[in-house]
């Protein structure tokens, strides 16, 4: 079950990278709003915190897809543990 989740999550690495960059861009936008709200009206900070929630979601979703893609490549290259180590064949 976990292996199929890893393979499905990492099946499209370009889409995962796009999601990650969108999350990072939203994160930067949220930080800008939070800093602007510190020097001006507090409502800009609230907007920044509201933007921060989907930013963290998209960044985490994209990063988990990128990680799953790399991890699935590692899982494919692992040999089965039950192979016969007989050297005299």
């Amino acid at each position: 079950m976990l292996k199929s989740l890893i393979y499905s999550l990492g099946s499209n690495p370009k889409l995962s990278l796009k999601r990650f960059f969108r999350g990072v861009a939203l994160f930067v936008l949220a930080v800008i709003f939070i800093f602007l709200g510190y020097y001006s009206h507090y409502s800009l900070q609230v907007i920044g915190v509201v933007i921060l929630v989907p930013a963290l979601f998209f960044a985490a979703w994209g990063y988990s897809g990128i990680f799953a893609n790399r991890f699935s490549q590692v899982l494919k290259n692992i040999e089965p543990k039950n192979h016969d180590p007989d050297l005299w064949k």
Side-chain angles (χ1 to χ4, degrees), residues 17-71:
L17 188 64
K18 193 183 294 186
R19 285 179 184 147
F20 177 71
F21 283 145
R22 285 180 184 166
V24 169
L26 282 174
F27 179 80
V28 168
L29 183 67
V31 168
I32 289 170
F33 272 113
I34 290 171
F35 279 132
L36 286 175
Y38 180 74
Y39 293 112
S40 62
H41 202 262
Y42 72 92
S43 63
L44 292 175
Q45 283 184 330
V46 173
I47 292 171
V49 171
V50 168
I51 292 173
L52 191 64
V53 173
L56 293 176
F57 171 74
F58 277 111
W61 189 15
Y63 187 77
S64 63
I66 294 168
F67 178 77
N69 181 280
R70 297 291 183 172
F71 193 63

